Amino acid sequence: MLVWFLDPELLLIVGVSLKVSCIATILAAGIGVPMGFFIAFADLPGKRGVIIILNTLLALPTVVIGLFVYSFISRQSLLGSLDLLYTQTAMVIGQLILIIPVVTALTIAAVNRVDERFRRTAMTLGANTLQTAMVIFREARFGIGAAVIAAFGRVISEVGISMMLGGNIKGFTRTMTTAMALEYDKGSFVLAVALGLVLMSLSLAMNVFFHLCQGAVENQ
Amino acid sequence: MKKGEKIQKLFKLVLVAAVMLSLPIYYCHGAEDATIKMSTTSSTQASGLLDILIPAFFTDTGIRVKVIAKGTGAAIRDGMDGNVDLIFVHARTREEKFVSQGFGTRRYPVMHNDFVILGPKADPAGVMGTESVVDALKKIAHSKSLFVSRGDDSGTHTKEQLLWKETDLPLITMVTMDKQTLAPADSANWYLSVGQGMGKTLTFAHEKQTYTLSDRGTYIKYRFGREIPIDLHIVCEGDPSLANPYGVIPVNPKKFPHVRYEAARQFARWITSPRGQQLIAEYRLLGKQLFYPDATED
């Protein structure tokens, strides 16, 4: 039973899943966290509207994102000449659209939870915007970490975008979820369940790791 | 510092972070020069045939083929949009249209297998042993026995609609967006269109114990290749109308200058060469031959 664990094909599938999900998560964190800070700090006139739109985007179905991106990168359309369809890049783009709202919305929530006095104190002590942001970031780091973990969980478990934009190409864009869909289609439930277990174990490992980091920092 | 400056500064920060973090995205692109993309029908992949053909082709030519398995309709669509370099599908009339409209250069006949009508052991419509597929479908329709349709615009679905047309039963045309679908009239209670691939449709038919149309390869796999075989039986087979030919068509470089036509044509020639044809003829799934080579020498 343990043999399939070392199966090179399975490892490749897990590798593709991890690579795509990690890139998407890192990029989404790089864009979403600053955006969350910006929205939380800025006195924009339409701030409430922006937050409502962000929260709506949290419910965006993956097939809608898949279709949307597809209509831009399909050969006949605007960005067709970039040859993006059925590549890992296309999957990353779709997944970014999926999780940037997740990271942003949860970052806003985490920042808003930080006591307003931190900000005022920092400003009073002569901190500039960047320094103030760093103070808030320090206080909100667990919330932001949780936002990133949630985003990672969303992309590694998603199947619609990967299937539509990646095409489930063996060795290139076949991820754990699209492989599971294929195995189910083929009627081989054992491998599908095995892949599901790998996916759950990975998520568990990620969360345990995060939890331990959090504990280590708090004990300092 | 004024508020405007602050916002500007923050914005710049966001921009720099975004650009810097976007850089690794370009590393996703590997060397893909000797690689072609092929959209194909799920049956060629699910049967395991491509797992033999694709590595052999790579050994012979050094060209890698990326396979995107979908229904025939979606695969043809990929070709019409220029998203792939060639298609490998099974819907003769639609393939010929694809070529005549200039999307493909020519159709290379590759192989065939056949469709079968499956049903539950109890055989409520009394179809078992019926030789003519038209009679078989009429019996199912008259007895209003449950029948599951792929309903996904695939090659099998295309075939099924052609077969219903041959029966002279009253049909209704359903129009969804720009697609027309034929189904027997007055069939709301017994004709179930599930919109799924062959595998899922077979599982559905097995669970609900209904009749359905399947390609023989997928049926063999589900009947003999699983620990718990599906409890469906062939009730009609061998009618010439049930033939299921597969063809390969390179996408036309005149229509889409970017396609890797030379490599795609090489694949089409290779698969129709004695070497490719022999691999197809020798392929066995659970001891049964699934596909019969079709290529005629030029």
Side-chain angles (χ1 to χ4, degrees):
Chain A
M1 188 60 197
L2 265 176
V3 182
W4 55 258
F5 219 128
L6 299 169
D7 180 53
E9 199 182 323
L10 188 106
L11 288 178
L12 192 62
I13 291 171
V14 174
V16 170
S17 262
L18 281 178
K19 181 183 165 195
V20 171
S21 303
C22 285
I23 293 176
T25 310
I26 292 167
L27 291 180
I31 299 165
V33 172
M35 207 152 84
F37 266 83
F38 177 74
I39 294 169
F41 275 140
D43 284 325
L44 296 171
K47 190 166 163 177
R48 267 163 193 276
V50 171
I51 291 175
I52 288 173
I53 288 172
L54 268 176
N55 287 334
T56 311
L57 290 181
L58 291 183
L60 209 57
T62 52
V63 279
V64 172
I65 298 174
L67 259 178
F68 177 75
V69 177
Y70 186 101
S71 64
F72 276 93
I73 63 174
S74 175
R75 183 59 67 167
Q76 300 257 283
S77 54
L78 213 55
L79 305 172
S81 56
L82 295 178
D83 201 11
L84 285 173
L85 190 59
Y86 305 136
T87 63
Q88 293 182 353
T89 313
M91 294 162 72
V92 170
I93 293 171
Q95 295 187 339
L96 273 179
I97 298 176
L98 178 69
I99 55 169
I100 286 177
V102 175
V103 177
T104 310
L106 293 180
T107 299
I108 295 173
V111 167
N112 284 340
R113 269 200 304 274
V114 174
D115 199 322
E116 174 64 13
R117 277 173 294 184
F118 279 106
R119 184 178 166 187
R120 265 185 264 146
T121 311
M123 298 287 261
T124 319
L125 290 172
N128 62 29
T129 312
L130 188 61
Q131 286 165 331
T132 312
M134 288 315 286
V135 169
I136 306 289
F137 182 82
R138 225 188 110 70
E139 292 310 313
R141 63 185 184 278
F142 295 134
I144 291 168
V148 174
I149 291 282
F152 180 80
R154 186 85 177 91
V155 279
I156 201 154
S157 61
E158 119 359 89
V159 56
I161 293 171
S162 303
M163 192 63 105
M164 290 168 85
L165 302 178
N168 193 24
I169 301 170
K170 188 175 172 180
F172 292 93
T173 56
R174 182 163 300 170
T175 65
M176 285 188 276
T177 50
T178 59
M180 280 171 76
L182 175 68
E183 291 308 318
Y184 171 72
D185 222 13
K186 289 203 265 182
S188 37
F189 300 121
V190 177
L191 187 59
V193 171
L195 279 165
L197 288 176
V198 174
L199 200 142
M200 292 305 294
S201 319
L202 279 173
S203 292
L204 181 70
M206 286 287 290
N207 277 292
V208 168
F209 177 73
F210 180 67
H211 189 77
L212 290 177
C213 287
Q214 196 171 336
V217 174
E218 271 171 355
N219 287 336
Q220 273 175 4
Chain B
M1 216 191 291
K2 288 199 186 92
K3 181 147 253 158
E5 281 175 48
K6 269 192 228 165
I7 292 177
Q8 221 174 13
K9 210 169 170 188
L10 242 161
F11 184 71
K12 269 187 200 158
L13 196 79
V14 173
L15 211 71
V16 171
V19 169
M20 273 175 59
L21 286 159
S22 309
L23 288 179
I25 214 168
Y26 289 104
Y27 293 107
C28 295
H29 273 303
E32 291 177 6
D33 296 332
T35 303
I36 49 174
K37 286 180 192 166
M38 174 171 84
S39 270
T40 183
T41 138
S42 44
S43 51
T44 54
Q45 176 161 33
S47 65
L49 177 68
L50 288 179
D51 293 335
I52 304 292
L53 291 180
I54 302 295
F57 179 64
F58 179 68
T59 315
D60 289 2
T61 62
I63 298 171
R64 210 181 281 279
V65 182
K66 288 184 175 179
V67 176
I68 298 131
K70 305 177 156 189
T72 286
I76 290 176
R77 179 83 231 174
D78 264 346
M80 289 171 76
D81 288 344
N83 287 329
V84 290
D85 303 305
L86 75 162
I87 57 173
F88 184 5
V89 292
H90 62 130
R92 188 92 177 243
T93 46
R94 295 170 72 172
E95 289 164 42
E96 278 155 7
K97 201 170 148 204
F98 182 78
V99 172
S100 68
Q101 287 177 339
F103 293 110
T105 52
R106 61 170 275 208
R107 175 182 187 274
Y108 294 77
V110 175
M111 59 187 193
H112 68 272
N113 68 355
D114 63 341
F115 290 109
V116 290
I117 301 227
L118 303 173
K121 200 170 193 172
D123 194 17
V127 184
M128 194 80 79
T130 309
E131 273 175 26
S132 144
V133 63
V134 167
D135 291 345
L137 288 179
K138 276 184 180 166
K139 282 182 185 172
I140 293 169
H142 288 315
S143 66
K144 297 195 187 302
S145 308
L146 286 178
F147 181 93
V148 180
S149 165
R150 288 276 293 272
D152 63 348
D153 198 34
S154 59
T156 310
H157 185 209
T158 308
K159 185 76 191 181
E160 185 212 305
Q161 295 176 71
L162 287 174
L163 291 174
W164 284 116
K165 247 189 206 169
E166 282 180 34
T167 61
D168 300 328
L169 290 165
L171 300 178
I172 45 163
T173 312
M174 288 170 289
V175 183
T176 346
M177 308 294 276
D178 55 343
K179 281 269 178 326
Q180 284 193 359
T181 319
L182 279 182
D186 204 15
S187 61
N189 293 327
W190 59 270
Y191 182 87
L192 312 168
S193 177
V194 290
Q196 304 275 2
M198 195 69 253
K200 283 178 193 160
T201 304
L202 281 182
T203 313
F204 187 99
H206 158 71
E207 296 286 347
K208 291 272 186 192
Q209 285 291 298
T210 69
Y211 292 95
T212 193
L213 177 76
S214 168
D215 67 283
R216 193 183 288 269
T218 313
Y219 171 65
I220 288 175
K221 186 142 191 175
Y222 273 66
R223 175 77 185 151
F224 303 103
R226 305 206 311 175
E227 273 173 43
I228 308 159
I230 53 167
D231 189 19
L232 292 174
H233 304 264
I234 295 176
V235 294
C236 178
E237 64 182 324
D239 187 313
S241 301
L242 289 169
N244 179 23
Y246 288 74
V248 160
I249 309 174
V251 173
N252 196 343
K254 286 192 189 123
K255 197 110 182 168
F256 301 105
H258 67 272
V259 295
R260 301 196 169 102
Y261 172 66
E262 275 312 315
R265 192 177 61 164
Q266 218 173 324
F267 180 81
R269 288 196 167 163
W270 179 88
I271 201 174
T272 50
S273 72
R275 161 108 166 118
Q277 294 286 292
Q278 194 189 349
L279 284 171
I280 291 170
E282 282 171 359
Y283 182 65
R284 294 283 185 284
L285 182 68
L286 309 156
K288 293 184 169 57
Q289 180 167 3
L290 285 192
F291 299 104
Y292 299 85
D294 255 358
T296 44
E297 295 295 325
D298 286 353

PDB file of all heavy atoms in Angstrom, chain A residues 142-164:
ATOM      1  N   PHE A 142      -0.349  37.250  12.871  1.00  0.00           N
ATOM      2  CA  PHE A 142      -0.998  35.932  12.905  1.00  0.00           C
ATOM      3  C   PHE A 142      -2.249  35.919  12.036  1.00  0.00           C
ATOM      4  O   PHE A 142      -2.520  34.949  11.332  1.00  0.00           O
ATOM      5  CB  PHE A 142      -1.344  35.547  14.342  1.00  0.00           C
ATOM      6  CG  PHE A 142      -0.116  35.359  15.183  1.00  0.00           C
ATOM      7  CD1 PHE A 142      -0.031  35.907  16.441  1.00  0.00           C
ATOM      8  CD2 PHE A 142       0.961  34.635  14.672  1.00  0.00           C
ATOM      9  CE1 PHE A 142       1.109  35.732  17.203  1.00  0.00           C
ATOM     10  CE2 PHE A 142       2.103  34.467  15.433  1.00  0.00           C
ATOM     11  CZ  PHE A 142       2.188  35.015  16.699  1.00  0.00           C
ATOM     12  N   GLY A 143      -2.979  37.009  12.094  1.00  0.00           N
ATOM     13  CA  GLY A 143      -4.166  37.106  11.253  1.00  0.00           C
ATOM     14  C   GLY A 143      -3.789  37.047   9.780  1.00  0.00           C
ATOM     15  O   GLY A 143      -4.449  36.383   8.978  1.00  0.00           O
ATOM     16  N   ILE A 144      -2.683  37.736   9.442  1.00  0.00           N
ATOM     17  CA  ILE A 144      -2.244  37.747   8.049  1.00  0.00           C
ATOM     18  C   ILE A 144      -1.723  36.362   7.657  1.00  0.00           C
ATOM     19  O   ILE A 144      -2.009  35.853   6.571  1.00  0.00           O
ATOM     20  CB  ILE A 144      -1.171  38.830   7.838  1.00  0.00           C
ATOM     21  CG1 ILE A 144      -1.830  40.212   7.977  1.00  0.00           C
ATOM     22  CG2 ILE A 144      -0.534  38.702   6.456  1.00  0.00           C
ATOM     23  CD1 ILE A 144      -0.848  41.350   8.087  1.00  0.00           C
ATOM     24  N   GLY A 145      -0.999  35.737   8.574  1.00  0.00           N
ATOM     25  CA  GLY A 145      -0.540  34.373   8.322  1.00  0.00           C
ATOM     26  C   GLY A 145      -1.710  33.448   8.064  1.00  0.00           C
ATOM     27  O   GLY A 145      -1.699  32.640   7.131  1.00  0.00           O
ATOM     28  N   ALA A 146      -2.755  33.596   8.869  1.00  0.00           N
ATOM     29  CA  ALA A 146      -3.944  32.764   8.693  1.00  0.00           C
ATOM     30  C   ALA A 146      -4.579  33.030   7.332  1.00  0.00           C
ATOM     31  O   ALA A 146      -5.067  32.115   6.668  1.00  0.00           O
ATOM     32  CB  ALA A 146      -4.938  33.039   9.807  1.00  0.00           C
ATOM     33  N   ALA A 147      -4.548  34.304   6.899  1.00  0.00           N
ATOM     34  CA  ALA A 147      -5.111  34.655   5.588  1.00  0.00           C
ATOM     35  C   ALA A 147      -4.370  33.915   4.483  1.00  0.00           C
ATOM     36  O   ALA A 147      -4.977  33.361   3.566  1.00  0.00           O
ATOM     37  CB  ALA A 147      -5.013  36.166   5.363  1.00  0.00           C
ATOM     38  N   VAL A 148      -3.035  33.881   4.603  1.00  0.00           N
ATOM     39  CA  VAL A 148      -2.227  33.230   3.569  1.00  0.00           C
ATOM     40  C   VAL A 148      -2.463  31.717   3.577  1.00  0.00           C
ATOM     41  O   VAL A 148      -2.610  31.088   2.531  1.00  0.00           O
ATOM     42  CB  VAL A 148      -0.736  33.561   3.770  1.00  0.00           C
ATOM     43  CG1 VAL A 148       0.117  32.778   2.787  1.00  0.00           C
ATOM     44  CG2 VAL A 148      -0.506  35.052   3.602  1.00  0.00           C
ATOM     45  N   ILE A 149      -2.555  31.138   4.777  1.00  0.00           N
ATOM     46  CA  ILE A 149      -2.823  29.701   4.878  1.00  0.00           C
ATOM     47  C   ILE A 149      -4.192  29.368   4.271  1.00  0.00           C
ATOM     48  O   ILE A 149      -4.340  28.394   3.535  1.00  0.00           O
ATOM     49  CB  ILE A 149      -2.794  29.252   6.363  1.00  0.00           C
ATOM     50  CG1 ILE A 149      -1.371  29.329   6.897  1.00  0.00           C
ATOM     51  CG2 ILE A 149      -3.355  27.850   6.516  1.00  0.00           C
ATOM     52  CD1 ILE A 149      -0.476  28.212   6.480  1.00  0.00           C
ATOM     53  N   ALA A 150      -5.185  30.222   4.565  1.00  0.00           N
ATOM     54  CA  ALA A 150      -6.524  29.997   4.014  1.00  0.00           C
ATOM     55  C   ALA A 150      -6.476  30.045   2.489  1.00  0.00           C
ATOM     56  O   ALA A 150      -7.093  29.220   1.799  1.00  0.00           O
ATOM     57  CB  ALA A 150      -7.496  31.044   4.543  1.00  0.00           C
ATOM     58  N   ALA A 151      -5.693  31.003   1.952  1.00  0.00           N
ATOM     59  CA  ALA A 151      -5.581  31.139   0.502  1.00  0.00           C
ATOM     60  C   ALA A 151      -4.920  29.896  -0.098  1.00  0.00           C
ATOM     61  O   ALA A 151      -5.353  29.367  -1.125  1.00  0.00           O
ATOM     62  CB  ALA A 151      -4.772  32.382   0.148  1.00  0.00           C
ATOM     63  N   PHE A 152      -3.883  29.404   0.574  1.00  0.00           N
ATOM     64  CA  PHE A 152      -3.207  28.205   0.090  1.00  0.00           C
ATOM     65  C   PHE A 152      -4.173  27.014   0.070  1.00  0.00           C
ATOM     66  O   PHE A 152      -4.239  26.260  -0.898  1.00  0.00           O
ATOM     67  CB  PHE A 152      -1.996  27.888   0.972  1.00  0.00           C
ATOM     68  CG  PHE A 152      -1.252  26.662   0.548  1.00  0.00           C
ATOM     69  CD1 PHE A 152      -0.364  26.708  -0.508  1.00  0.00           C
ATOM     70  CD2 PHE A 152      -1.440  25.457   1.216  1.00  0.00           C
ATOM     71  CE1 PHE A 152       0.312  25.575  -0.904  1.00  0.00           C
ATOM     72  CE2 PHE A 152      -0.768  24.317   0.818  1.00  0.00           C
ATOM     73  CZ  PHE A 152       0.120  24.376  -0.245  1.00  0.00           C
ATOM     74  N   GLY A 153      -4.946  26.896   1.130  1.00  0.00           N
ATOM     75  CA  GLY A 153      -5.923  25.811   1.199  1.00  0.00           C
ATOM     76  C   GLY A 153      -6.930  25.894   0.067  1.00  0.00           C
ATOM     77  O   GLY A 153      -7.330  24.877  -0.506  1.00  0.00           O
ATOM     78  N   ARG A 154      -7.299  27.111  -0.256  1.00  0.00           N
ATOM     79  CA  ARG A 154      -8.285  27.296  -1.335  1.00  0.00           C
ATOM     80  C   ARG A 154      -7.709  26.861  -2.682  1.00  0.00           C
ATOM     81  O   ARG A 154      -8.366  26.187  -3.450  1.00  0.00           O
ATOM     82  CB  ARG A 154      -8.683  28.772  -1.394  1.00  0.00           C
ATOM     83  CG  ARG A 154      -9.792  29.087  -2.373  1.00  0.00           C
ATOM     84  CD  ARG A 154     -11.150  28.857  -1.748  1.00  0.00           C
ATOM     85  NE  ARG A 154     -12.223  29.219  -2.671  1.00  0.00           N
ATOM     86  CZ  ARG A 154     -12.774  28.371  -3.520  1.00  0.00           C
ATOM     87  NH1 ARG A 154     -12.368  27.135  -3.571  1.00  0.00           N
ATOM     88  NH2 ARG A 154     -13.763  28.755  -4.326  1.00  0.00           N
ATOM     89  N   VAL A 155      -6.458  27.248  -2.987  1.00  0.00           N
ATOM     90  CA  VAL A 155      -5.929  26.914  -4.321  1.00  0.00           C
ATOM     91  C   VAL A 155      -5.549  25.450  -4.451  1.00  0.00           C
ATOM     92  O   VAL A 155      -5.731  24.855  -5.497  1.00  0.00           O
ATOM     93  CB  VAL A 155      -4.708  27.758  -4.738  1.00  0.00           C
ATOM     94  CG1 VAL A 155      -5.150  29.087  -5.254  1.00  0.00           C
ATOM     95  CG2 VAL A 155      -3.662  27.871  -3.675  1.00  0.00           C
ATOM     96  N   ILE A 156      -5.008  24.868  -3.383  1.00  0.00           N
ATOM     97  CA  ILE A 156      -4.553  23.490  -3.558  1.00  0.00           C
ATOM     98  C   ILE A 156      -5.739  22.538  -3.659  1.00  0.00           C
ATOM     99  O   ILE A 156      -5.628  21.446  -4.208  1.00  0.00           O
ATOM    100  CB  ILE A 156      -3.581  23.074  -2.426  1.00  0.00           C
ATOM    101  CG1 ILE A 156      -2.744  21.889  -2.919  1.00  0.00           C
ATOM    102  CG2 ILE A 156      -4.312  22.738  -1.143  1.00  0.00           C
ATOM    103  CD1 ILE A 156      -1.427  21.744  -2.262  1.00  0.00           C
ATOM    104  N   SER A 157      -6.901  22.980  -3.167  1.00  0.00           N
ATOM    105  CA  SER A 157      -8.058  22.086  -3.215  1.00  0.00           C
ATOM    106  C   SER A 157      -8.989  22.394  -4.369  1.00  0.00           C
ATOM    107  O   SER A 157      -9.972  21.710  -4.584  1.00  0.00           O
ATOM    108  CB  SER A 157      -8.830  22.195  -1.899  1.00  0.00           C
ATOM    109  OG  SER A 157      -9.284  23.520  -1.735  1.00  0.00           O
ATOM    110  N   GLU A 158      -8.653  23.410  -5.162  1.00  0.00           N
ATOM    111  CA  GLU A 158      -9.601  23.824  -6.204  1.00  0.00           C
ATOM    112  C   GLU A 158      -9.394  22.985  -7.462  1.00  0.00           C
ATOM    113  O   GLU A 158      -8.287  22.549  -7.748  1.00  0.00           O
ATOM    114  CB  GLU A 158      -9.457  25.311  -6.368  1.00  0.00           C
ATOM    115  CG  GLU A 158      -9.050  26.124  -7.559  1.00  0.00           C
ATOM    116  CD  GLU A 158      -8.681  25.533  -8.838  1.00  0.00           C
ATOM    117  OE1 GLU A 158      -9.610  25.355  -9.633  1.00  0.00           O
ATOM    118  OE2 GLU A 158      -7.507  25.284  -9.092  1.00  0.00           O
ATOM    119  N   VAL A 159     -10.490  22.715  -8.182  1.00  0.00           N
ATOM    120  CA  VAL A 159     -10.347  21.846  -9.352  1.00  0.00           C
ATOM    121  C   VAL A 159     -10.790  22.524 -10.650  1.00  0.00           C
ATOM    122  O   VAL A 159     -10.219  22.279 -11.707  1.00  0.00           O
ATOM    123  CB  VAL A 159     -11.102  20.503  -9.151  1.00  0.00           C
ATOM    124  CG1 VAL A 159     -12.553  20.737  -8.833  1.00  0.00           C
ATOM    125  CG2 VAL A 159     -10.963  19.608 -10.344  1.00  0.00           C
ATOM    126  N   GLY A 160     -11.759  23.438 -10.571  1.00  0.00           N
ATOM    127  CA  GLY A 160     -12.328  24.036 -11.774  1.00  0.00           C
ATOM    128  C   GLY A 160     -11.318  24.797 -12.613  1.00  0.00           C
ATOM    129  O   GLY A 160     -11.187  24.581 -13.825  1.00  0.00           O
ATOM    130  N   ILE A 161     -10.560  25.672 -11.977  1.00  0.00           N
ATOM    131  CA  ILE A 161      -9.584  26.493 -12.693  1.00  0.00           C
ATOM    132  C   ILE A 161      -8.488  25.616 -13.284  1.00  0.00           C
ATOM    133  O   ILE A 161      -8.125  25.741 -14.457  1.00  0.00           O
ATOM    134  CB  ILE A 161      -8.981  27.544 -11.742  1.00  0.00           C
ATOM    135  CG1 ILE A 161     -10.050  28.561 -11.340  1.00  0.00           C
ATOM    136  CG2 ILE A 161      -7.793  28.246 -12.385  1.00  0.00           C
ATOM    137  CD1 ILE A 161      -9.600  29.505 -10.248  1.00  0.00           C
ATOM    138  N   SER A 162      -7.969  24.698 -12.458  1.00  0.00           N
ATOM    139  CA  SER A 162      -6.884  23.835 -12.922  1.00  0.00           C
ATOM    140  C   SER A 162      -7.306  23.036 -14.142  1.00  0.00           C
ATOM    141  O   SER A 162      -6.547  22.874 -15.088  1.00  0.00           O
ATOM    142  CB  SER A 162      -6.464  22.881 -11.811  1.00  0.00           C
ATOM    143  OG  SER A 162      -6.095  23.598 -10.671  1.00  0.00           O
ATOM    144  N   MET A 163      -8.542  22.540 -14.119  1.00  0.00           N
ATOM    145  CA  MET A 163      -9.013  21.717 -15.230  1.00  0.00           C
ATOM    146  C   MET A 163      -9.207  22.561 -16.487  1.00  0.00           C
ATOM    147  O   MET A 163      -8.752  22.198 -17.563  1.00  0.00           O
ATOM    148  CB  MET A 163     -10.321  21.035 -14.820  1.00  0.00           C
ATOM    149  CG  MET A 163     -10.778  19.948 -15.742  1.00  0.00           C
ATOM    150  SD  MET A 163      -9.596  18.587 -15.781  1.00  0.00           S
ATOM    151  CE  MET A 163     -10.424  17.329 -14.820  1.00  0.00           C
ATOM    152  N   MET A 164      -9.849  23.713 -16.356  1.00  0.00           N
ATOM    153  CA  MET A 164     -10.190  24.506 -17.534  1.00  0.00           C
ATOM    154  C   MET A 164      -8.973  25.203 -18.130  1.00  0.00           C
ATOM    155  O   MET A 164      -8.853  25.312 -19.344  1.00  0.00           O
ATOM    156  CB  MET A 164     -11.248  25.556 -17.171  1.00  0.00           C
ATOM    157  CG  MET A 164     -12.591  24.939 -16.874  1.00  0.00           C
ATOM    158  SD  MET A 164     -13.696  26.117 -16.115  1.00  0.00           S
ATOM    159  CE  MET A 164     -14.357  26.934 -17.547  1.00  0.00           C
TER     160      MET A 164
END
